[in-house]
Amino acid sequence: VKAVLKKREYGPKYTQNNFITGVRAINEFCLKSSDLDQLRKIKRRSPHDDTETFTVYLRSDVEAKSLEVWGSPEALARERKRRKEAEIKYRENLFRNQRLLREYREFFGNTKPRSSPAAMFFKGPGKVVMVAICINGLNFFFKLLAWVYTGSASMFSEAIHSLADTCNQALLALGISQSARTPDPSHPYGFTNMRYIASLISGVGIFMMGAGLSWYHGIIGLLHPHPIESLLWAYCILAGSLVSEGATLLVAINEIRRSARAKGLSFYQYVVQSRDPSTNVVLLEDAAAVLSVAVAATCMGLTSLTGNPYYDSVGSLGVGTLLGTVSAFLIYTNTEALLGRSIQPEQLQRLTELLESDPVVRAIHDVKATDMGMSKVRFKAEVDFDGRVVTRSYLEKQDIEQLLQEIQQVKTLEELEAFMLKHGENIIDTLGAEVDRLEKDLKQRNPDVRHVDLEIL
């Protein structure tokens, strides 16, 4: 007669063995931390790298404790409803609470030291953006004065160009500050893409404000030409603008070179892949500014030599076309980044080889590595684990002689079931530890990998 275990029906009662963390127990069952001190505590393997184990509780114990505290399921439901309403009310008044807290700290002083949000604007992309804001703001002021004095269409385009650059770079500064916000439950992967969003809006702004107004003013100049006053001051302001915007361009170039060298990329690859959208915008805007100054000066010079105002209007159209080209490039590159593009094939191949060369892995399928922006990569793969290697890894940590004695003491089907359940659960924990090890190896091999999702086949 073939001996087989009786097939079990796993109904709701079996879920009494489910575990629950302390935080969920307090939140879902309206308990206090002191209520959990009396319950059975179980140590389990932690899914986080910074902790080896963490404490969980049997869900059945937590449910029984909540009924003991609140008296009945109806009373517990009323308390849950009351807390939910209080949470909604708190969220509605969150802005007011934050404002009152700021006023309190300003009145009594902030005794706890904290880093200033402005610190990010003293180095890296933030420094480049702040330098560009200051220089382009001054350029706009002086170019506007030159246009009022001369009435030049090219000078008007240059003033609008500097105004658009200043506004767009202020938007970039806002994107940089927002991208540094810490993740929250609504945005678990953080706010890194705020830089790409700000750069995308900046590209649209360049097209609408810069290119659009320059084309409009150039066309009006062609349709209704008028004589231009002395251009001497305009030339002086253009020369100063060329020097200042050239200096900003050099700052952006040096920052991109440094970042590209750190990533092992060429200058061209770093710009095209939009690795740093904020610095990219400053680089392209200032490059366009330097070229547009040359175009405007050339067309104004032709107007001075020939007395024909049409050359000046053509210069305004040329500046608008240049700005339109820059905006199209920014819109394209930032849209590609926001859509979630894959990392470089060489990097993906190195990560794939690392997994396939590990003894515990038989094969990997459906590999995806998405660039989340600002050097943050999310890696996902379906992994076929070798159960024999996992089991051997578990056995290497056991006392084989003691394990043999346990096997020899098994006489009944119930004892066999208990033996298999005990060691089966431990083998599953070993498999989880192997997954953690592989994730850690992937992050060490490529520091850009921040999130790893390994699905077990």
Side-chain angles (χ1 to χ4, degrees):
V1 178
K2 184 177 181 180
V4 295
L5 287 175
K6 182 180 179 182
K7 186 176 180 180
R8 289 193 173 189
E9 297 294 336
Y10 295 102
K13 291 184 178 180
Y14 195 80
T15 58
Q16 293 178 354
N17 295 323
N18 289 359
F19 297 140
I20 187 173
T21 62
V23 174
R24 285 189 59 193
I26 293 174
N27 292 336
E28 295 182 13
F29 293 92
C30 305
L31 298 176
K32 297 181 292 186
S33 57
S34 57
D35 297 330
L36 303 180
D37 294 338
Q38 307 170 8
L39 304 182
R40 288 176 288 180
K41 300 179 180 60
I42 303 169
K43 295 291 184 180
R44 302 296 295 170
R45 182 185 63 84
S46 173
H48 307 291
D49 296 335
D50 54 351
T51 53
E52 295 183 357
T53 60
F54 71 111
T55 303
V56 294
Y57 304 87
L58 284 173
R59 188 182 184 93
S60 56
D61 291 350
V62 174
E63 291 175 349
K65 186 64 179 179
S66 67
L67 292 178
E68 177 185 338
V69 171
W70 295 105
S72 66
E74 292 77 14
L76 176 59
R78 286 195 299 268
E79 178 63 18
R80 284 175 175 170
K81 182 179 179 181
R82 186 191 67 80
R83 293 192 180 190
K84 186 66 176 178
E85 292 174 350
E87 180 182 357
I88 294 174
K89 184 177 180 181
Y90 170 77
R91 289 183 177 179
E92 291 175 350
N93 299 325
L94 182 61
F95 179 78
R96 181 177 62 85
N97 294 337
Q98 290 177 341
R99 179 172 55 81
L100 292 175
L101 182 60
R102 284 196 300 269
E103 294 176 355
Y104 174 85
R105 288 176 176 173
E106 291 173 358
F107 182 77
F108 289 100
N110 189 7
T111 58
K112 184 178 179 181
R114 58 180 181 178
S115 59
S116 173
M120 65 182 66
F121 293 106
F122 291 100
K123 60 181 180 179
K127 177 182 177 181
V128 175
V129 171
M130 292 307 296
V131 170
I133 289 175
C134 296
I135 291 180
N136 284 315
L138 291 174
N139 286 339
F140 164 69
F141 177 74
F142 288 112
K143 288 178 181 178
L144 185 64
L145 291 180
W147 169 68
V148 172
Y149 179 71
T150 63
S152 168
S154 294
M155 186 53 68
F156 175 81
S157 297
E158 279 299 302
I160 293 299
H161 184 179
S162 294
L163 175 61
D165 288 352
T166 305
C167 295
N168 289 329
Q169 285 150 10
L171 181 63
L172 294 179
L174 177 63
I176 290 175
S177 64
Q178 292 295 310
S179 67
R181 292 168 58 189
T182 55
D184 57 31
S186 300
H187 304 85
Y189 290 105
F191 298 84
T192 304
N193 281 339
M194 279 301 299
R195 295 197 184 193
Y196 290 99
I197 294 173
S199 300
L200 178 62
I201 298 174
S202 177
V204 176
I206 293 172
F207 184 81
M208 295 179 63
M209 184 182 293
L213 288 178
S214 296
W215 282 330
Y216 170 79
H217 208 71
I219 293 173
I220 293 297
L222 291 176
L223 296 177
H224 307 285
H226 63 276
I228 297 177
E229 303 294 335
S230 174
L231 298 175
L232 177 60
W233 285 107
Y235 290 136
C236 294
I237 291 174
L238 283 179
S241 175
L242 181 64
V243 173
S244 60
E245 288 173 337
T248 310
L249 178 62
L250 288 177
V251 172
I253 289 175
N254 291 333
E255 175 63 24
I256 289 181
R257 281 179 176 172
R258 184 189 63 80
S259 301
R261 194 181 305 113
K263 296 295 181 183
L265 299 173
S266 66
F267 185 92
Y268 174 78
Q269 289 176 328
Y270 194 88
V271 172
V272 171
Q273 295 173 16
S274 191
R275 294 284 179 163
D276 186 353
S278 304
T279 310
N280 244 19
V281 172
V282 175
L283 171 75
L284 295 173
E285 284 184 347
D286 287 334
V290 171
L291 292 175
S292 64
V293 166
V295 172
T298 301
C299 293
M300 289 167 62
L302 291 173
T303 297
S304 298
L305 292 175
T306 64
N308 187 349
Y310 285 107
Y311 289 111
D312 186 61
S313 299
V314 170
S316 181
L317 293 174
V319 172
T321 302
L322 185 60
L323 292 176
T325 304
V326 170
S327 66
F329 178 80
L330 290 175
I331 292 172
Y332 172 76
T333 55
N334 286 286
T335 301
E336 285 289 304
L338 288 172
L339 287 175
R341 61 193 170 195
S342 178
I343 64 175
Q344 293 297 311
E346 299 79 11
Q347 296 178 341
L348 183 59
Q349 182 64 26
R350 286 197 297 268
L351 297 175
T352 302
E353 291 175 353
L354 174 65
L355 285 178
E356 291 180 334
S357 62
D358 195 282
V360 78
V361 177
R362 279 178 173 165
I364 57 175
H365 310 279
D366 194 23
V367 180
K368 295 183 178 70
T370 306
D371 188 349
M372 300 173 61
M374 297 306 300
S375 301
K376 292 184 179 180
V377 175
R378 181 178 181 180
F379 181 86
K380 177 262 179 186
E382 296 183 0
V383 184
D384 184 2
F385 284 91
D386 191 333
R388 297 169 301 177
V389 177
V390 175
T391 305
R392 183 175 293 277
S393 176
Y394 168 70
L395 292 176
E396 289 174 352
K397 301 174 184 177
Q398 305 299 314
D399 186 342
I400 299 300
E401 294 183 357
Q402 181 180 355
L403 189 61
L404 179 60
Q405 292 176 2
E406 291 183 20
I407 296 175
Q408 292 174 345
Q409 292 174 1
V410 173
K411 302 299 182 183
T412 63
L413 294 179
E414 289 75 12
E415 292 176 350
L416 176 62
E417 181 184 9
F419 175 83
M420 295 297 294
L421 291 176
K422 171 188 173 182
H423 292 283
E425 183 175 9
N426 293 338
I427 291 175
I428 294 299
D429 289 342
T430 303
L431 177 60
E434 293 293 335
V435 172
D436 291 344
R437 178 181 62 81
L438 291 175
E439 292 179 353
K440 186 176 180 180
D441 291 344
L442 287 172
K443 293 178 180 179
Q444 288 180 345
R445 175 67 64 89
N446 189 341
D448 290 347
V449 177
R450 304 293 178 87
H451 308 283
V452 181
D453 300 323
L454 298 182
E455 301 179 5
I456 301 174
L457 287 179

